[in-house]
Amino acid sequence: MTAFSFACTGVRADQYAAGPTLVFRLRVTAADNARVHALALRCQIRIEPARRGYEPAEVDGLADLFGERSRWGSTLQPVQFAQVSVMVPSFTGEIETDLVVPCTYDMDIAATRYLTALTDGEVPLLMLFSGTAFTGTGGFQVEPVPWDREAAFRMPVSAWREMVEQHFPGCGWIRLPRDTMDALLAYRSRHALPSWEATVAALLEGADPPAHDPLRALTATTGRTDP
């Protein structure tokens, strides 16, 4: 079988993607300058949190994932980041290709909570590869990519932050159940609050808006509400 090796040489935020997306630059090498007609590759990416240190502020942000720092010796386990596929075109010996990884800013996802808690430095990643290779010089043969193929990569935290800022500039994002969203919408309309930020602020303060709020008076006159 053809011996394959993999290395990640860089990462960037895709500024033209419709949603948050990271593009990893992947180098694929076939031993003995072998001819590869195509490579159907699967890649599982894991975060390995035990492979870096953490500042006090980061420790506080990671408490909901890993518990108290005194327990991190047993709780600092790998976190699933992504699982993607890529079709690598024909090459001989070596090629570099893009591995496109759609991401999410959903704070219910463990990887997102982990990355958001980091203030600087690098994210230790482990890429695990498998798939099918179509090789051969006179015709082709089908070979599996062994399950033990992997590559370590340290992704700058700045790449993640740049990607998030492109799609959620200065903002966060929370996914809520439909009934909770309906209740929030009703609360906002009932108190004539001008924005979702004002709605959440009013709830956090635990008090109703001022009785003589001008926007409330306006909506009472027109009978309209701002959703």
Side-chain angles (χ1 to χ4, degrees), residues 13-81:
D14 188 347
Q15 60 180 324
Y16 301 109
T21 303
L22 290 172
V23 181
F24 293 86
R25 192 64 177 171
L26 188 65
R27 179 186 298 141
V28 184
T29 303
D32 301 324
N33 207 37
R35 172 69 172 164
V36 180
H37 300 286
L39 183 60
L41 196 62
R42 295 185 296 272
C43 179
Q44 181 181 158
I45 306 177
R46 296 177 183 171
I47 299 170
E48 295 198 313
R51 290 173 48 207
R52 62 158 283 167
Y54 299 92
E55 299 295 330
E58 296 173 330
V59 172
D60 293 340
L62 294 170
D64 63 331
L65 281 179
F66 305 121
E68 297 294 328
R69 188 160 194 170
S70 60
R71 300 176 51 220
W72 280 16
S74 59
T75 62
L76 220 59
Q77 300 298 318
V79 176
Q80 179 78 0
F81 179 58

Side-chain angles (χ1 to χ4, degrees), residues 82-127:
Q83 189 160 333
V84 294
S85 299
V86 60
M87 181 61 74
V88 181
S90 174
F91 68 96
T92 299
E94 187 174 279
I95 191 174
E96 287 198 3
T97 189
D98 287 339
L99 182 66
V100 179
V101 179
C103 300
T104 177
Y105 197 39
D106 186 345
M107 294 300 290
D108 286 341
I109 305 299
T112 303
R113 298 211 307 276
Y114 174 85
L115 291 163
T116 303
L118 303 184
T119 58
D120 203 357
E122 297 173 328
V123 184
L125 301 177
L126 182 64
M127 298 179 167

